Amino acid sequence: MAVWDTKAPWGFVLMLAGAAGVAVNYPDHTCAVKGSTVTLLCTFTPLKSAILDGSEVFFRVTRVCWCKNHLLCHGSTPSVYDSQSESNDPRYKYLGDKTGNCTLQISDVQKEDEATFRFRMEGNHRVTHYTGRSGVNITVSDGARMKVNSSVTEAQVRAGEKVTLYCTALCTFHRMEVNWFKDGHALSGSGPALRLSPLTAEDSGSYTCSLRVNANTLSLPYSLQVEAEQEG
């Protein structure tokens, strides 16, 4: 659902009543772990033209903004990002444009980000001002334990095979940096997938992982046993 600027001339609004396709498309409800980075993938379709007094008038978007917990996101409403502001909080990075991409990235997510975020576009005519009212809801987790899952179900695997260990959480991520450990010793790499191939007996051990930004999320150990290749 969208909200049009209530100050727009009524006659003009009636002529726009048939304008199709104007919309803001948000992602589903998003869950983020405190301290992580979350990306809100978003697209929008602005009002590009309309018939006014018998002539076609073309519009362009001149301002875009994101706010939280406000239905209209306009006027003096505090925003987390405003394309016309020079003092935006650096935690909120606009990855979009003024033509159709309204993606917002939030870094170092905090509990205060547990809110409903809405996007608004404004054009070179006030009748084009439009807010995507549905918004996207963000839930922030304080950081429950991570969990290590394996690409294989067997407790024991053979040397020469391959295994991928996944560091997962209750929340889903567009980007997640983790620390991996084997027998308590840090491993290289920061991605949520740890690929071991080809396996050797030296890969046997206890694997754990945690969010790079929160050591308290350290997972319970996952035991991997690699059976040595049989000679002959």
Side-chain angles (χ1 to χ4, degrees):
M1 181 177 181
V3 179
W4 297 92
D5 193 322
T6 56
K7 296 181 181 179
W10 279 109
F12 199 87
V13 171
L14 289 175
M15 281 183 279
L16 294 175
V22 179
V24 178
N25 301 306
Y26 296 108
D28 295 330
H29 174 273
T30 299
C31 179
V33 171
K34 183 178 179 181
S36 67
T37 295
V38 64
T39 302
L40 306 180
L41 301 176
C42 171
T43 60
F44 70 95
T45 304
L47 181 64
K48 296 180 179 179
S49 66
I51 303 300
L52 176 61
D53 295 332
S55 300
E56 187 174 14
V57 178
F58 293 90
F59 308 114
R60 59 184 174 84
V61 175
T62 58
R63 180 192 181 198
V64 293
C65 59
W66 277 88
C67 65
K68 60 182 179 180
N69 292 336
H70 195 282
L71 285 176
L72 298 181
C73 194
H74 75 312
S76 60
T77 303
S79 60
V80 298
Y81 174 81
D82 186 334
S83 63
Q84 295 184 351
S85 173
E86 296 182 355
S87 58
N88 292 310
D89 187 332
R91 287 202 307 114
Y92 304 94
K93 184 177 182 180
Y94 188 64
L95 303 181
D97 49 40
K98 294 180 181 177
T99 59
N101 183 357
C102 47
T103 298
L104 180 73
Q105 185 177 83
I106 307 174
S107 60
D108 190 22
V109 172
Q110 298 298 309
K111 198 64 177 178
E112 65 194 56
D113 294 318
E114 188 165 273
T116 299
F117 286 75
R118 294 181 174 88
F119 172 79
R120 178 176 174 84
M121 69 185 96
E122 296 183 356
N124 55 338
H125 192 292
R126 61 187 179 182
V127 78
T128 64
H129 299 181
Y130 187 100
T131 303
R133 190 173 182 179
S134 61
V136 53
N137 296 314
I138 296 181
T139 299
V140 178
S141 168
D142 287 332
R145 278 184 180 271
M146 305 298 285
K147 183 179 180 181
V148 177
N149 292 319
S150 174
S151 60
V152 298
T153 57
E154 296 83 1
Q156 190 173 45
V157 292
R158 293 180 180 275
E161 297 179 345
K162 60 183 179 180
V163 168
T164 301
L165 302 181
Y166 299 96
C167 189
T168 62
L170 294 177
C171 290
T172 57
F173 299 85
H174 296 291
R175 189 181 77 182
M176 180 171 67
E177 293 188 344
V178 303
N179 289 325
W180 282 99
F181 304 91
K182 176 178 177 288
D183 298 329
H185 300 289
L187 301 176
S188 61
S190 60
L194 179 65
R195 295 174 177 82
L196 303 173
S197 175
L199 288 170
T200 68
E202 293 182 355
D203 290 317
S204 295
S206 179
Y207 290 81
T208 55
C209 68
S210 69
L211 283 176
R212 177 159 290 189
V213 296
N214 189 344
N216 293 328
T217 61
L218 185 68
S219 69
L220 294 175
Y222 176 87
S223 179
L224 178 67
Q225 298 298 322
V226 180
E227 181 180 346
E229 291 182 304
Q230 296 180 354
E231 295 183 3

